[in-house]
Amino acid sequence: MRNLTPTSITQAFADYARDAPSERTRTLLVGLAGHLHSFVRENKVTQAEWDAAIGALTRATEFTDDKRNEYILFSDLLGVSSLVDMINTAGSGTPSSVLGPFHIEGAPELPNGGDLWKGQVGEPLVVSGRVTDGKGAPAAGTVLALWQNGGNGLYAQQDPAHSPTNYHARLTVADDGSFAFSTVRPVSYTVPDDGPAGDMLRALGRHAWRPAHLHMIVHAPGHRPLITEFFPEDDKYLDADAVFGVRAGLVLPFRKVTDRGALPAALAARDSLPMPVWAATIDLTLPPA
Ligand code: BEZ
Ligand code: FE
């Protein structure tokens, strides 16, 4: 095609893609190019501005390895990870949320009623609840993948002082769908902001904080894995999450319990759990199979 203009280039791109082997891929890439072209035209993007954008993407490679992915962080901080999650989530059941970078495969088994806290820094927290399907039947056989940061704000992968699986676990619920464990109360923390995604936050006058949360992937037989996270309702960053992960149905009261007898039986029997203790109830409803 010759004699392209700033307007006709968009149709030219679509024409070049007319023989794409996949219709869906053609739709997505032609749409993406069309939005980018409109963005450049509407904002009269300068060469220096486009060079800066390419420079940020180039620099992202330096911050990406098998432990960190700066491109996913851009997606998270731009709200795209959350948007993709929200438009693909089931309309019923416990809402899903973003995965984040700290999930690990093959975390150690934690017995139901077990302890992740082990007296480490921070305030102990007892979590208990039940997993049921949309009709209230217990979801026996469900495995919960759990991970969170420690009381010092660090995930195990960021904290050389602890084992690489600290505060990571897999717990199989009881036949009635119930589960309980003790852990530390997670704390709010900043996402890694020393790379180009952090530069973008600073250019926008934004902060890097996430409200405290407990991550979970619910693996229930016959259901797609549900990736989600739960937030204490008193966290000051609930309405300012850097990665847009908070959903109303994922915000929970964290109560101070002073009566040991009010704890789930397996945890009430554990004398090493100091009282009073924080407690949260997480009742999970599976989305339709
Ligand atoms: C997290 O929840 O751990 C997280 C999510 C997105 C980006 C960075 C961290
Ligand atoms: Fe997290």
Side-chain angles (χ1 to χ4, degrees), residues 19 40 49 54 97 103 144 149-150 183-184 219 221 224 226 261 278:
D19 297 328
V40 169
E49 287 164 340
I54 299 289
S97 185
H103 173 250
L144 304 176
N149 66 2
T183 183
V184 75
H219 297 274
R224 276 193 309 169
L226 168 65
W278 287 105

Side-chain angles (χ1 to χ4, degrees), residues 22-34:
S22 157
E23 181 61 24
R24 175 69 176 162
T25 304
R26 192 186 72 78
T27 301
L28 293 176
L29 289 176
V30 170
L32 176 65

Side-chain angles (χ1 to χ4, degrees), residues 130-179:
R130 224 171 144 239
V131 189
T132 53
D133 68 14
K135 299 188 184 94
T142 295
V143 176
L144 304 176
L146 310 167
W147 72 104
Q148 62 168 98
N149 66 2
N152 60 0
L154 299 176
Y155 282 84
Q157 293 94 321
Q158 302 171 306
D159 191 351
H162 289 287
S163 97
T165 57
N166 196 30
Y167 293 121
H168 289 262
R170 286 170 67 83
L171 182 158
T172 304
V173 306
D175 285 348
D176 66 354
S178 67
F179 65 91

Side-chain angles (χ1 to χ4, degrees), residues 73 76 98 100-102 155 189 191-192 210 213 215 229 243:
L73 187 57
D76 295 341
V98 293
F102 297 116
Y155 282 84
Y189 65 93
V191 303
R210 291 213 70 200
H213 52 271
H215 288 279
E229 53 185 340
V243 304

Side-chain angles (χ1 to χ4, degrees), residues 4-215:
L4 284 175
T5 68
T7 309
S8 70
I9 190 171
T10 303
Q11 185 58 48
F13 184 96
D15 292 345
Y16 284 5
R18 99 175 60 78
D19 297 328
S22 157
E23 181 61 24
R24 175 69 176 162
T25 304
R26 192 186 72 78
T27 301
L28 293 176
L29 289 176
V30 170
L32 176 65
H35 282 285
L36 281 171
H37 293 182
S38 298
F39 168 81
V40 169
R41 281 189 294 261
E42 285 162 17
N43 292 290
K44 296 194 169 32
V45 174
T46 66
Q47 191 64 52
E49 287 164 340
W50 192 243
D51 289 348
I54 299 289
L57 292 178
T58 306
R59 222 159 75 78
T61 59
E62 293 162 28
F63 286 83
T64 299
D65 56 23
D66 57 344
K67 293 195 189 62
R68 174 167 172 183
N69 188 318
E70 194 74 0
Y71 298 94
I72 297 177
L73 187 57
F74 266 119
S75 164
D76 295 341
L77 296 173
L78 285 164
V80 179
S81 303
S82 256
L83 183 54
V84 171
D85 169 52
M86 285 190 285
I87 67 165
N88 288 289
T89 197
S92 61
T94 300
S96 54
S97 185
V98 293
L99 177 66
F102 297 116
H103 173 250
I104 52 173
E105 297 293 341
E109 294 285 336
L110 180 73
N112 203 349
D115 177 47
L116 289 175
W117 177 49
K118 303 185 198 118
Q120 297 176 76
V121 63
E123 300 178 278
L125 166 72
V126 166
V127 180
S128 59
R130 224 171 144 239
V131 189
T132 53
D133 68 14
K135 299 188 184 94
T142 295
V143 176
L144 304 176
L146 310 167
W147 72 104
Q148 62 168 98
N149 66 2
N152 60 0
L154 299 176
Y155 282 84
Q157 293 94 321
Q158 302 171 306
D159 191 351
H162 289 287
S163 97
T165 57
N166 196 30
Y167 293 121
H168 289 262
R170 286 170 67 83
L171 182 158
T172 304
V173 306
D175 285 348
D176 66 354
S178 67
F179 65 91
F181 59 96
S182 51
T183 183
V184 75
R185 192 182 155 129
V187 296
S188 44
Y189 65 93
T190 54
V191 303
D193 66 349
D194 53 340
D199 292 341
M200 179 184 76
L201 288 183
R202 284 178 284 279
L204 290 167
R206 281 174 54 185
H207 66 70
W209 285 91
R210 291 213 70 200
H213 52 271
L214 297 158
H215 288 279

